[in-house]
Amino acid sequence: MFTKSAPFYDAIYAFKDYEDEAERLRAMIQARVPSSEVTLLDVACGTGLHLQYLKKQYAVEGLDLDPNMLEIARRRCPGVPFHQGDLVAFDLGRRFEVVMCLFSSIGYAKTLARMQQAVLTMARHLCPGGLLLVEPWLTPDVFETGRFDARFVDEPDLKIARITTTSREGALSIIDFHYLVGTSDGVAHFTERHEVGLFTHDQYLDAFRAAGLAVDFDPDGFIEKGEFEGGAKTP
Ligand SMILES: C[S@@+](CC[C@H](N)C(=O)[O-])C[C@H]1O[C@@H](n2cnc3c(N)ncnc32)[C@H](O)[C@@H]1O
C-alpha cells in the first residue's frame, strides 16, 4: 500500500513529532513495565521513526509488510533487527515486554476477523506482565465519506502535493491518495488506494480480552486517537 509513496513518507509526515511521541511512550512504559531491560517490538513500524528514538533505551525490533518501508527503516536504525511480515499472522519465535502498533496501522487488518487475529498474534509475542499498545483507526461512527484533504511538501529538492479523498464500503474505509511529486528528474503522478477497517471500541476491547489481555482505552492517549493498553497476565 505504501510501496510507491515509501520514499516520501518521512517528508509527508514531517509534521508529526516522533521524538515527543517516543518520549511519551517511554514514560508510559516506565510506569507499566517493571523490567529494567525492556525489549520492544514495533508492529507496522514503517520507516522506523519511533524506533530511532526508542532504540537508545530499549532492545527494539520492527516488523512491517512493505519492503520499501523496511529498507528505509534499516538505513535509519542500523543494527536493529527488522522483519518482513503481516501484522495479522507473524511468528518471530520470541516474546517482548512491549509490543506496539501505532498510527492506526491495525486498520490495515481490514476485517474484524483479521483484526482479532492481529491482536491475538501480537498478544502471543508478549512476555508475562508485558504491555500491548494499539493506536486505533477511526471508528465507524466518526469516519466521514466524501472528505478531501491536501498536504504539501515544499523542500528545496522535493515538492509534493498529495490530495486525498475518502469513501466507504461497509466497514471498510477507503482512502484514495493522489500524489504529484516534483524532483530534479521531473514531475511524477501516481495514486495509492488504502483500505482500512473501521472497528468500534467495543470490538477492539473484545479482541484484547479474547486474546487474554486485561485492557483499558485511554481517549487522551499519547497521540491523536488515544490508545488501547493491554496487559498480559503475570504467571
Ligand atoms: C500509517 S503507517 C505507520 C508507520 C509507523 N508505525 C509510524 O508511526 O510512522 C502504516 C504502516 O503499516 C504497514 N502495513 C500495512 N499493512 C500491513 C500489514 N498487513 N502487516 C504489517 N504492516 C502493514 C505499512 O507498510 C506502513 O508502514
Side-chain angles (χ1 to χ4, degrees):
M1 253 166 288
F2 288 84
T3 304
K4 287 184 270 187
S5 63
F8 313 114
Y9 186 89
D10 296 350
I12 290 274
Y13 292 105
F15 67 91
K16 255 169 87 70
D17 189 342
Y18 281 90
E19 187 168 13
D20 179 63
E21 291 181 10
E23 198 46 57
R24 288 195 260 167
L25 279 164
R26 255 198 291 266
M28 192 181 291
I29 291 166
Q30 203 170 324
R32 309 269 199 297
V33 182
S35 170
S36 57
E37 287 179 19
V38 172
T39 53
L40 179 148
L41 175 67
D42 186 1
V43 175
C45 62
T47 60
L49 288 162
H50 289 111
L51 291 181
Q52 69 182 320
Y53 300 109
L54 295 170
K55 77 185 177 71
K56 293 176 189 160
Q57 197 161 348
Y58 308 129
V60 302
E61 301 193 17
L63 177 134
D64 201 280
L65 191 60
D66 192 299
N68 293 351
M69 298 293 266
L70 283 170
E71 191 185 320
I72 298 167
R74 287 192 179 102
R75 274 205 305 271
R76 167 166 285 124
C77 305
V80 170
F82 285 99
H83 313 272
Q84 188 176 10
D86 185 343
L87 61 86
V88 174
F90 63 90
D91 182 4
L92 300 185
R94 53 161 304 200
R95 292 169 183 267
F96 300 81
E97 265 85 29
V98 180
V99 177
M100 62 183 205
C101 184
L102 303 181
F103 205 12
S104 306
S105 305
I106 186 77
Y108 289 101
K110 290 196 198 178
T111 65
L112 178 58
R114 284 168 52 86
M115 182 275 275
Q116 292 164 338
Q117 184 61 39
V119 171
L120 190 61
T121 296
M122 292 190 280
R124 282 187 181 139
H125 284 79
L126 277 184
C127 296
L131 179 69
L132 172 62
L133 291 173
V134 172
E135 183 187 15
W137 173 230
L138 296 169
T139 52
D141 52 323
V142 301
F143 177 78
E144 291 177 37
T145 58
R147 275 188 63 112
F148 60 100
D149 179 50
R151 213 165 266 293
F152 303 100
V153 173
D154 188 3
E155 293 174 2
D157 299 326
L158 179 65
K159 312 290 178 194
I160 300 176
R162 189 190 75 173
I163 312 275
T164 310
T165 60
T166 62
S167 57
R168 179 171 174 165
E169 286 172 11
L172 202 58
S173 62
I174 295 162
I175 303 129
D176 283 300
F177 293 94
H178 291 256
Y179 282 88
L180 208 51
V181 178
T183 64
S184 55
D185 292 336
V187 180
H189 172 255
F190 62 87
T191 59
E192 273 180 350
R193 180 183 171 94
H194 289 212
E195 298 180 343
V196 192
L198 296 163
F199 309 117
T200 65
H201 281 180
D202 281 344
Q203 288 172 331
Y204 283 113
L205 292 170
D206 286 347
F208 273 66
R209 290 187 191 114
L213 303 178
V215 59
D216 280 323
F217 176 65
D218 179 359
D220 308 314
F222 62 99
I223 317 182
E224 55 193 289
K225 296 188 190 70
E227 81 278 332
F228 292 92
E229 300 169 25
K233 293 188 185 75
T234 41

